[in-house]
Amino acid sequence: MPETTWWKRGIVYQIYPRSFQDSNGDGIGDLNGIRQRLDYLAWLGADAIWISPIYPSPMADFGYDVADYCGIDPIFGTLEDFDRLIEEAHARGLKLILDFVPNHTSDQHPWFQESRSSRTNPKRDWYIWRDAKLDGSPPNNWISNFGGSAWEWDEATAQYYYHAFLKEQPDLNWRNAEVRRAMYDALRFWLDRGVDGFRVDVIWHLIKDAEFRDNPPNPAFQASQAEINRFIQVYSADQPEVHEVVGEMRGVLEEYRERVLIGEIYLPLERLVTYYGKDLSGAHLPFNFQLIQTAWNAQKIAALINEYEAALPEGGWPNWVLGNHDQPRIGARIGPQQARVAAMLLLTLRGTPTMYYGDEIGIGKVEIPPEAAQDPWERNEPGLGLGRDPERTPMHWDGSAQGGFTSGKPWLPLDPHFRSRHAEGLRNDTGSILTLYRRLIELRRQHPALSVGAYAQVKTEGDILAYERQHGSERLLVALNLGHEPQTLPLPAGASGRLMLSTLPDRNEEPIGAQVVLRADEGIIIALGV
Ligand code: NOJ
Ligand code: CA
C-alpha cells in the first residue's frame, strides 16, 4: 500500500450518531442529521467519518446489540437515507466507515431466537451454549464486561448461553463456518453500497478457549474496579485462532478497492500489534488506545511512542486515538488547556489519527444526574464511575435552545456550557480550540512530514515532549509543554527555524533562534532550517 492511501494520510472523525444532529425532533441524532452536517466535516478537514452502529437494534447497548446486520434502525432513518448520506459524503471527498459488531448479536436477532428455540435447532451452534455444572452453577468463572456472570441460564432449553457483554448481547460462535459465511455476507452487503471500511467491535473477543477453562484470578483486583477485572482474561479473549478470522475479514475487503479494516482492541502493545497479522494480512489499523490509557506525563508518553514505534511490524501503519464513546473525554481528563496540547499531539504523530466528535469544540466534563443515566453499564455497576454517558452528550452547533442539536428533548442532557461553546461561535473565533483543530488538520494535509514523515524523539526532561518529523528535505520540530510552568527548549545543534503554529492564539509566525521558551500549557510546531 503506497503512502498516499487515504487511510494512511487521512484523519478519521468518529460520530456517535445518537448525539450528532437530530433532524426530526425526537431528541435522537439520525442519518439525515449527519448529512446536514457534512459541510461542517469537510470544512474541518476530516477525511473519513466512522459512524457507531446504526442497524436495527433494541438499543439495550445503544446499537451494539444488532438485530439485523443489513438494515437501518428507524430511529436513525432508512436505507434510502443511508444511500443518500454516502453519496453526499463521497461527493465531498469524505469516506464513510461503518461499525461492524460481529462478536455478539441482540437477543432479539432472529438467529438467536431460532438458536434458543430448541437444542436441535440448526442455529443452536451459532451461539455458545453449555450445560450447567453438576451443582447448577455456570460452566466457568467468566465475567461479563458489564458485571456479573457472563453466563445466562435459559429455562426453556436448560442450558447456559455466553455473553461477554449484556445478557441481551449473546456471543456468536465464530468457530461455526455458517456464522462466518453469514457475517462476511453482511460485510459485502455494505461494501456493495459503497462503504469504505469497517471499525470492528471487540475484534479480539471473537474466539474463546475451545475448552472454556476458568480465567485465573487477578491479584491486583480492587473493589473500586469494574468486576471484569476480578480475573485475567487469559481464556475468554485474544486466542490464537482469532487471527484466522481477522484474515478472512480482510480477505472480504480485498475483494473491493481501497477499503480499510480497523480493529477495536484493548490489549498491551505486544499483543495489540499481532493484529496486523502475519505478513500484514490482518487489520490495517488495530486501534491504538495507548494515549487514552497512559498518564498525561511527557516522559511516559515519549517512552510509549518509542515502544509503539518499535513494536510495529515491518510495514505496519501506526494509528493514534484520543477519545471515543467508551472513554472519558480528553477535555474532562486533562482540562481545557492541555486538551489543546493533546490536539497537537494527536495530529502531529506518525500514523492515522482518530478524533472524537465534540473534542474539537472542547466539550469537557459533563455531570449526568443519576435520573438521566442511560448507559446500561452505569446501571449494572452503579457508583464506580464506569458510566459512559458523560462522553456521549449531544454536539453543540449554535447558541439556540439545545445547541441546535434538536428541537425536541435531547436523549441525554447537553454540557451546560453549550450556549457559549458551540461550533458556529468557535469557528469565527481565531483563538478557539476549533480553529486550532482546523489549522492543525490543514497543516497536516499540507506537510507530508506530519502525516507520513519519519518520527524521531528529541531527548528532553521534565514536562516537555519533543520530537521531529521529517520527509524529504523538510524537518519539523514539535514541542509540547505538558506542564503548567514555562519551559525552555534548546533547538537541535546548529538549527534555527520558524514557528509555524502554537496551541495558544497570540503567537504569530516568528523566527526561532538557538532556543525557544514554551509558555505554560503551550505546544508549538517549528519548521527547522528555514
Ligand atoms: C465496544 C463498544 O465500543 C462499546 O460501546 C460496546 O458497549 C461494547 N463493545 C459491546 O459491543
Ligand atoms: Ca431523530
Side-chain angles (χ1 to χ4, degrees):
M1 279 287 166
E3 275 179 355
T4 48
T5 310
W6 66 269
W7 53 262
K8 288 189 175 177
R9 290 229 174 183
I11 287 158
V12 180
Y13 182 104
Q14 182 191 353
I15 291 177
Y16 194 66
R18 293 181 73 85
S19 295
F20 200 58
Q21 175 69 63
D22 176 23
S23 71
N24 62 354
D26 65 358
I28 302 176
D30 44 53
L31 293 178
N32 284 332
I34 297 175
R35 191 165 50 78
Q36 290 165 17
R37 297 299 181 183
L38 288 174
D39 284 335
Y40 167 81
L41 295 164
W43 168 84
L44 181 63
D47 297 274
I49 52 177
W50 149 36
I51 309 179
S52 285
I54 48 175
Y55 315 106
S57 164
M59 304 288 166
D61 189 20
F62 295 112
Y64 285 95
D65 47 325
V66 177
D68 172 5
Y69 287 96
C70 300
I72 300 289
D73 193 282
I75 287 185
F76 296 123
T78 62
L79 263 178
E80 289 69 45
D81 296 336
F82 178 80
D83 289 340
R84 209 168 148 200
L85 172 63
I86 197 165
E87 194 187 316
E88 294 194 17
H90 284 167
R92 288 167 178 77
L94 281 163
K95 307 281 185 186
L96 195 150
I97 298 169
L98 281 186
D99 211 311
F100 185 55
V101 191
N103 179 67
H104 41 267
T105 69
S106 161
D107 62 347
Q108 302 305 307
H109 196 295
W111 297 342
F112 188 68
Q113 298 289 316
E114 279 187 55
S115 184
R116 81 183 313 173
S117 67
S118 82
R119 288 202 188 193
T120 54
N121 183 277
K123 291 214 168 51
R124 185 67 171 179
D125 185 52
W126 281 39
Y127 291 83
I128 298 172
W129 294 95
R130 288 288 178 283
D131 290 335
K133 284 190 181 157
L134 285 178
D135 64 357
S137 62
N140 68 20
N141 68 359
W142 296 1
I143 303 279
S144 154
N145 281 272
F146 293 142
S149 170
W151 296 94
E152 180 71 9
W153 179 247
D154 181 58
E155 202 58 59
T157 58
Q159 275 191 320
Y160 282 97
Y161 68 84
Y162 176 69
H163 57 91
F165 294 88
L166 297 174
K167 66 176 172 16
E168 292 85 359
Q169 293 168 296
D171 277 45
L172 282 164
N173 175 15
W174 273 85
R175 293 183 188 270
N176 180 300
E178 289 174 18
V179 166
R180 293 190 188 190
R181 269 199 297 276
M183 293 301 274
Y184 300 154
D185 281 346
L187 288 177
R188 291 188 187 97
F189 175 88
W190 295 107
L191 290 164
D192 287 339
R193 289 193 114 80
V195 161
D196 299 288
F198 297 93
R199 171 271 190 189
V200 183
D201 192 65
V202 296
I203 201 168
W204 85 109
H205 268 262
L206 294 180
I207 299 280
K208 331 331 172 175
D209 177 42
E211 295 167 42
F212 285 83
R213 282 168 279 186
D214 274 351
N215 279 325
N218 172 9
F221 176 71
Q222 289 170 359
S224 59
Q225 292 179 318
E227 202 186 347
I228 183 72
N229 298 301
R230 227 176 243 294
F231 299 95
I232 303 173
Q233 313 294 303
V234 174
Y235 295 115
S236 44
D238 193 29
Q239 301 301 295
E241 302 97 312
V242 73
H243 297 288
E244 182 184 297
V245 177
V246 182
E248 288 174 5
M249 284 183 185
R250 169 70 180 273
V252 174
L253 269 70
E254 292 294 332
E255 295 165 16
Y256 300 77
R257 274 176 56 85
E258 292 221 312
R259 311 298 165 101
V260 70
L261 186 67
I262 305 175
E264 187 209 20
I265 301 154
Y266 285 92
L267 285 175
L269 273 183
E270 68 278 8
R271 301 296 316 149
L272 172 68
V273 294
T274 64
Y275 285 77
Y276 284 98
K278 194 169 174 295
D279 302 324
L280 304 182
S281 60
H284 293 107
L285 304 174
F287 258 155
N288 166 12
F289 298 124
Q290 299 292 322
L291 287 180
I292 295 175
Q293 294 170 321
T294 305
W296 199 248
N297 167 296
Q299 301 314 313
K300 289 211 169 91
I301 294 178
L304 145 72
I305 300 169
N306 286 342
E307 279 166 42
Y308 179 60
E309 286 278 348
L312 286 169
E314 170 104 42
W317 189 249
N319 76 91
W320 297 92
V321 182
L322 204 53
N324 63 39
H325 62 293
D326 296 325
Q327 305 293 336
R329 277 194 183 273
I330 187 73
R333 183 159 74 95
I334 63 176
Q337 291 310 318
Q338 283 294 319
R340 302 172 72 110
V341 176
M344 185 171 274
L345 174 65
L346 175 72
L347 292 162
T348 57
L349 282 173
R350 194 176 84 91
T352 307
T354 299
M355 54 181 287
Y356 185 50
Y357 90 93
D359 283 351
E360 80 277 23
I361 56 165
I363 301 184
K365 195 171 165 57
V366 188
E367 302 285 349
I368 305 292
E371 64 280 8
Q374 300 283 339
D375 184 14
W377 197 3
E378 177 64 32
R379 300 208 195 140
N380 277 3
E381 297 189 83
L384 299 179
L386 300 172
R388 300 166 293 177
D389 294 324
E391 56 264 26
R392 297 177 176 180
T393 61
M395 179 72 181
H396 323 158
W397 294 105
D398 56 42
S400 66
Q402 308 303 347
F405 164 68
T406 181
S407 58
K409 183 176 181 304
W411 76 287
L412 267 179
L414 275 75
D415 171 357
H417 294 101
F418 77 88
R419 284 194 190 280
S420 58
R421 208 180 279 164
H422 51 74
E424 193 185 85
L426 298 179
R427 67 189 279 173
N428 298 317
D429 170 356
T430 53
S432 73
I433 185 165
L434 181 58
T435 300
L436 174 65
Y437 259 96
R438 184 162 181 258
R439 291 191 66 192
L440 281 164
I441 293 172
E442 199 180 16
L443 214 58
R444 191 178 170 96
R445 198 187 301 286
Q446 287 164 353
H447 297 270
L450 290 177
S451 51
V452 298
Y455 170 90
Q457 194 194 335
V458 173
K459 285 256 178 279
T460 60
E461 283 170 10
D463 286 331
I464 294 196
L465 170 62
Y467 46 87
E468 254 189 68
R469 303 295 317 280
Q470 186 253 320
H471 189 263
S473 60
E474 189 171 45
R475 281 172 72 194
L476 303 182
L477 173 68
V478 181
L480 309 171
N481 183 356
L482 271 61
H484 311 305
E485 300 292 333
Q487 307 275 343
T488 303
L489 176 75
L491 257 53
S496 61
R498 172 166 284 278
L499 185 96
M500 294 174 87
L501 183 63
S502 163
T503 56
L504 300 178
D506 52 349
R507 186 146 160 166
N508 295 322
E509 282 201 18
E510 57 188 60
I512 306 281
Q515 61 177 39
V516 60
V517 178
L518 291 173
R519 289 169 292 169
D521 304 296
E522 183 177 32
I524 54 176
I525 305 175
I526 298 170
L528 293 177
V530 292

